[in-house]
Amino acid sequence: MKLNAILAALCAAASFNATAQGPIVIKFSHVVATDTPKGQAADRFKQLAEKATNGRVKVEVYPNSQLYKDKEELEALQLGAVQMLAPSLAKFGPLGVKEFEAFDLPYIFPSKTALYNVTEGEIGKSLMKKLEPKGITGLAFWDNGFKVMSANKPLHSPADFKGLKMRIQSSKVLDAQMRAMGANPQVLAFSEVYQALQTGVVDGTENPPSNMYTQKMHEVQKHVSISNHGYLGYAVIVNKKFWDGLPADIRAALDKAMKEATTFEKAIAQRDNDLALEAIKKAGKTEIYTLSVKEQADWRRVLLPVQKEMEGRIGKDLIQAINKEAAK
Ligand code: LMR
């Protein structure tokens, strides 16, 4: 074996956090509750990964922003302080990968099938490739669902949003979305949303029902509008140096575990959101309103132009390619 090959092998061996007797540890940090689609899938990945590697890998899941909150978690991954995350696709702009904000565009996906055509096809692959110069490897797309809007006043027409302070994720598309509705967008970490709503720092927000319910946002939001105006999903990512430094057999076993966890996650996402909406209704503290056909048309008229407005940031070709794929 040539000297440089030996050195490379030694570096690879040293690059992952294994010791002769201890397991390779994967710290998997995320910001949602355990009983959400992403939270359950993280736990399922842990089970599958530890079983598939006969305990040579130990996955430590840190839910609910226990270890790191929104912005911190991506920095921690790049530094190698954690090895795996599953951030919302709306949170990659600050990393310099603005194209992920295409997933935030209002009404870009008419259905989950349309979404999967994008995430499971060439567009999804090309977006994940854009993470590699940032020291990140994308492993999978996980699902959550279409978003509802909430506030302490009824949100039936776009005019109802005028002047409202609305919490958003760190996405310029979501900023443009809320401004198009006449609201004032405010980026806040997910872990800070409940208290910001409770204290009036912000008036309202958007999220799929599973996130609203598990963070108890329905206890501090009197009105929810089932608008399905936009989508929220995830990219499961790892620190690239860590991932490339794994023994090939371990990496292959983890890849298989991730595929099985992804299948599981997509199978529960819609059900969890349906159950969460039922639970919000049952709690009786929030009026749940379904937009009329005319109101839906009014929201579309106001929000669809955001796609054109964002061409300069996301890329006209990418938006056109997504719309073409989504229409299949
Ligand atoms: C949010 O910040 O609203 C969501 O991205 C949280 C999550 O990870 O689902």
Side-chain angles (χ1 to χ4, degrees):
M1 214 181 185
K2 290 200 185 92
L3 180 59
N4 58 355
I6 293 170
L7 286 174
L10 286 172
C11 288
S15 71
F16 61 83
N17 47 15
T19 56
Q21 62 282 8
I24 297 167
V25 174
I26 293 177
K27 288 183 170 34
F28 190 159
S29 171
H30 68 78
V31 299
V32 295
T34 298
D35 52 342
T36 56
K38 171 162 67 171
Q40 291 175 74
D43 290 343
R44 178 58 66 92
F45 173 72
K46 169 184 169 64
Q47 290 163 8
L48 292 165
E50 291 177 352
K51 185 168 178 227
T53 59
N54 299 313
R56 286 175 62 197
V57 167
K58 181 172 184 295
V59 180
E60 295 174 356
V61 179
Y62 296 93
N64 240 346
S65 305
Q66 268 175 21
L67 213 50
Y68 295 102
K69 61 182 185 180
D70 277 357
K71 190 167 175 294
E72 297 165 352
E73 65 172 15
L74 278 163
E75 290 157 0
L77 184 84
Q78 287 180 299
L79 291 170
V82 296
Q83 289 71 41
M84 189 175 282
L85 304 173
S88 164
L89 298 166
K91 297 180 180 175
F92 287 83
L95 202 59
V97 191
K98 297 175 281 194
E99 295 85 349
F100 273 66
E101 291 180 7
F103 290 98
D104 300 326
L105 288 167
Y107 304 112
I108 193 90
F109 299 113
S111 67
K112 287 286 184 81
T113 305
L115 164 80
Y116 297 151
N117 287 347
V118 171
T119 56
E120 292 170 5
E122 286 312 309
I123 296 175
K125 283 195 189 77
S126 67
L127 287 171
M128 288 296 202
K129 285 298 278 174
K130 292 180 185 296
L131 296 174
E132 299 196 355
K134 310 293 179 186
I136 293 171
T137 297
L139 298 183
F141 286 97
W142 282 359
D143 189 5
N144 191 329
F146 292 103
K147 297 176 287 188
V148 299
M149 289 275 199
S150 69
N152 284 316
K153 61 175 280 192
L155 298 174
H156 298 180
S157 76
D160 295 330
F161 285 78
K162 188 163 175 46
L164 290 185
K165 294 175 290 187
M166 295 295 283
R167 180 269 173 174
I168 58 169
Q169 304 169 84
S170 54
S171 160
K172 295 295 182 199
V173 168
L174 297 179
D175 184 277
Q177 168 192 282
M178 291 300 185
R179 291 184 192 282
M181 295 292 269
N184 301 315
Q186 296 205 355
V187 175
L188 286 174
F190 186 58
S191 54
E192 297 164 358
V193 177
Y194 175 85
Q195 189 175 14
L197 291 169
Q198 188 187 39
T199 56
V201 166
V202 290
D203 302 307
T205 187
E206 59 169 2
N207 233 297
S210 59
N211 274 345
M212 281 206 71
Y213 180 66
T214 52
Q215 296 295 321
K216 302 187 186 312
M217 293 184 205
H218 61 290
E219 292 180 356
V220 289
Q221 294 278 265
K222 294 187 178 67
H223 296 273
V224 164
S225 287
I226 302 179
S227 49
N228 297 325
H229 61 282
Y231 171 73
L232 192 148
Y234 309 107
V236 186
I237 57 177
V238 286
N239 173 289
K240 187 173 187 309
K241 185 163 176 281
F242 164 79
W243 186 252
D244 292 347
L246 288 169
D249 61 327
I250 292 284
R251 193 166 48 244
L254 293 177
D255 248 339
K256 184 170 179 293
M258 183 53 69
K259 283 183 174 58
E260 290 172 26
T262 301
T263 302
F264 165 76
E265 201 275 348
K266 287 162 73 174
I268 65 168
Q270 191 54 51
R271 182 206 66 189
D272 273 20
N273 278 294
D274 295 343
L275 289 172
L277 197 57
E278 281 311 305
I280 292 171
K281 273 181 196 154
K282 196 160 171 248
K285 296 185 176 178
T286 310
E287 185 202 312
I288 294 178
Y289 179 78
T290 300
L291 298 185
S292 67
V293 171
K294 181 187 178 310
E295 288 162 340
Q296 286 180 41
D298 289 343
W299 283 51
R300 280 179 182 275
R301 178 176 41 77
V302 167
L303 287 175
L304 275 170
V306 171
Q307 292 194 20
K308 183 120 187 88
E309 181 187 345
M310 287 287 124
E311 283 179 357
R313 175 172 175 82
I314 295 171
K316 183 176 181 179
D317 293 351
L318 176 57
I319 295 173
Q320 285 180 340
I322 290 174
N323 276 316
K324 182 166 173 270
E325 206 55 41
K328 278 182 181 169

